[in-house]
Amino acid sequence: MKIFSTCPLCFCNTATKLWEASSSEQASHFLSPLVNKDKYQELKEHIQYLQKTSLVSVNKCKECSFIYSFPNYAGDKKFYDLIYSDTNRYPQNRWEFIKSVEIIKNSKFPNPKILEIGSGDGAFIRKLIKKRITTKKAITAIEYSIYGKSKIKNFGIECLSIDIKDNKNKLPHKEYDFICLFQVLEHLDNVHKLIDRLKNLLSKNGELLIAVPNEKIIKFNELNGALLDMPPNHIGRWSKKTFIKYCDFNNINLIEHKVEPFSLKKFLLMFFSYRFLRKAQKQNTIAAYIRYKSNKNLKKIFTIIFIISDFLFSPKILLKIIFSAAKLGGETQLARISKVNEN
């Protein structure tokens, strides 16, 4: 369906609507009313407050192919406090961590200064220190979660809770050799204001290392009954094409773009788990009963049985996965970006 909305990347006003969701559906995606009805209602109302509407659409720009939520408003601290627990578990070993450690290790910077935006509990930072790639004093972390911030500070790294887009916020170092955003950019609005700030923080030969979800995996999930990529958590969907557009628009250089290799085992576990979670969002379903009402001791067993049954009774989807595997890639893509050399 052709609609009129403004693309936050290229500012084109024509787009195709992929799907839409009410604030009730958005809230249910993150928190079931079966778990906490009052908190669900508060989340629903806060989503409406953020978006200034009770309905959001996910659109694909006709000009640059960027996929974005409309209205394009990012979740704030209250939103994430409502949907995550105080001890939210962060992944410790991601593909982009391994690749970025290699890039930084092979750079010519002695004790490179590193800024990580959205540091979680500091898993990536600890890898840098463990491999003696840089020093603790050379690293700055930005993280809002109380749990993550305390873990990072206890490790001896300076950790701030600031909006990086705000120039008034001072950082320990004037420039950084590497600025890392892992699974962060897709959460943010005002992406051009962001890159203006990051360009000013980069050293002369510095690089941005940006990891985001693989848009092909998201598309496959959404078209085959797995989880939707729901705003206002994720509000922008990136690809190599849109990274090129982003770089051209902001006079920066896309050095390299890589996609995580496809793993059949990892994909099947992710995909059918997401199918279960999507089904559980509807209150009067077996999946919802298993996830929210079944005995705690039996929940894991019932969940495994449900997922295996779904796997066995979905031959058409399995064929799709087999024939699409080579084109899909893994869950993550990594972009290496530098400032344009003006000399």
Side-chain angles (χ1 to χ4, degrees):
M1 178 182 175
K2 187 177 178 181
I3 63 165
F4 293 94
S5 64
T6 303
C7 172
L9 183 57
C10 75
F11 306 109
C12 171
N13 291 320
T14 309
T16 301
K17 181 161 69 176
L18 302 182
W19 51 268
E20 64 182 16
S22 67
S23 54
S24 298
E25 291 171 314
Q26 288 178 272
S28 294
H29 177 93
F30 303 107
L31 178 67
S32 174
L34 296 173
V35 175
N36 188 325
K37 194 172 183 180
D38 291 338
K39 196 173 181 181
Y40 160 82
Q41 186 62 34
E42 184 181 2
L43 176 60
K44 175 185 169 183
E45 291 171 1
H46 189 62
I47 289 171
Q48 286 185 217
Y49 164 77
L50 286 174
Q51 297 172 168
K52 301 176 176 62
T53 177
S54 60
L55 195 68
V56 69
S57 63
V58 172
N59 308 328
K60 184 174 183 178
C61 177
K62 286 279 189 178
E63 179 66 27
C64 72
S65 300
F66 189 57
I67 297 174
Y68 60 94
S69 66
F70 185 80
N72 194 246
Y73 293 114
D76 59 3
K77 185 177 185 301
K78 182 176 178 179
F79 170 75
Y80 287 106
D81 285 345
L82 285 168
I83 68 170
Y84 290 136
S85 68
D86 291 337
T87 56
N88 184 50
R89 295 179 67 183
Y90 296 96
Q92 300 300 300
N93 294 293
R94 296 190 64 96
W95 170 79
E96 62 266 31
F97 291 177
I98 297 167
K99 292 298 174 186
S100 297
V101 165
E102 289 175 2
I103 291 166
I104 297 171
K105 184 179 179 181
N106 293 330
S107 74
K108 296 178 181 179
F109 296 106
N111 292 326
K113 293 184 177 68
I114 295 167
L115 171 64
E116 186 184 14
I117 302 167
S119 301
D121 65 356
F124 175 68
I125 290 168
R126 286 194 293 276
K127 291 183 186 302
L128 293 172
I129 298 301
K130 186 178 180 180
K131 291 182 179 292
R132 298 181 179 180
I133 291 170
T134 192
T135 64
K136 290 184 179 182
K137 287 184 179 180
I139 300 175
T140 305
I142 295 178
E143 177 59 38
Y144 278 99
S145 75
I146 295 170
Y147 173 75
K149 193 173 180 179
S150 66
K151 292 277 284 184
I152 293 165
K153 283 189 169 184
N154 289 340
F155 187 61
I157 301 293
E158 181 154 8
C159 186
L160 308 172
S161 295
I162 60 170
D163 181 356
I164 192 61
K165 294 193 291 289
D166 191 342
N167 288 320
K168 294 177 183 177
N169 290 319
K170 301 297 182 183
L171 294 166
H173 303 288
K174 187 178 178 181
E175 291 183 336
Y176 290 87
D177 303 311
F178 290 93
I179 300 177
C180 306
L181 297 89
F182 301 136
Q183 312 300 327
V184 170
L185 185 61
E186 67 274 16
H187 295 265
L188 302 179
D189 53 20
N190 295 317
V191 291
H192 294 299
K193 184 178 180 182
L194 170 72
I195 205 68
D196 282 343
R197 171 69 162 147
L198 299 185
K199 281 164 64 177
N200 289 330
L201 289 171
L202 268 184
S203 63
K204 183 180 178 181
N205 296 308
E207 294 183 20
L208 302 176
L209 301 177
I210 302 176
V212 293
N214 179 358
E215 86 287 357
K216 292 179 182 178
I217 296 286
I218 296 170
K219 181 179 179 180
F220 188 92
N221 286 345
E222 292 186 341
L223 293 176
N224 292 284
L227 285 174
L228 297 175
D229 198 35
M230 187 67 75
N233 181 35
H234 289 181
I235 61 170
R237 200 176 299 179
W238 296 83
S239 65
K240 184 176 183 179
K241 180 179 179 179
T242 54
F243 270 119
I244 291 170
K245 185 74 175 180
Y246 190 42
C247 290
D248 289 346
F249 201 95
N250 290 285
N251 193 31
I252 50 179
N253 180 37
L254 182 63
I255 301 170
E256 187 178 31
H257 177 274
K258 286 188 174 182
V259 177
E260 181 179 4
F262 180 83
S263 163
L264 182 60
K265 180 181 177 181
K266 190 175 177 181
F267 180 83
L268 289 175
L269 180 60
M270 175 274 296
F271 176 74
F272 283 98
S273 295
Y274 283 4
R275 291 247 307 175
F276 169 75
L277 293 174
R278 175 85 177 270
K279 294 173 191 294
Q281 289 172 10
K282 295 182 179 179
Q283 294 184 44
N284 298 318
T285 61
I286 295 172
Y289 180 84
I290 291 171
R291 189 166 190 219
Y292 301 117
K293 293 184 177 181
S294 61
N295 182 284
K296 287 184 180 180
N297 297 323
L298 297 174
K299 183 185 294 187
K300 187 175 181 179
I301 296 170
F302 287 156
T303 301
I304 292 169
I305 292 171
F306 187 98
I307 290 172
I308 292 173
S309 299
D310 187 26
F311 170 80
L312 293 174
F313 289 99
S314 304
K316 289 183 180 179
I317 289 177
L318 286 173
L319 286 174
K320 278 187 184 180
I321 293 170
I322 291 167
F323 287 113
S324 302
K327 297 178 182 178
L328 284 174
E331 290 185 60
T332 299
Q333 51 183 314
L334 179 66
R336 288 179 67 186
I337 296 170
S338 69
K339 292 195 288 189
V340 172
N341 192 339
E342 297 177 353
N343 294 331

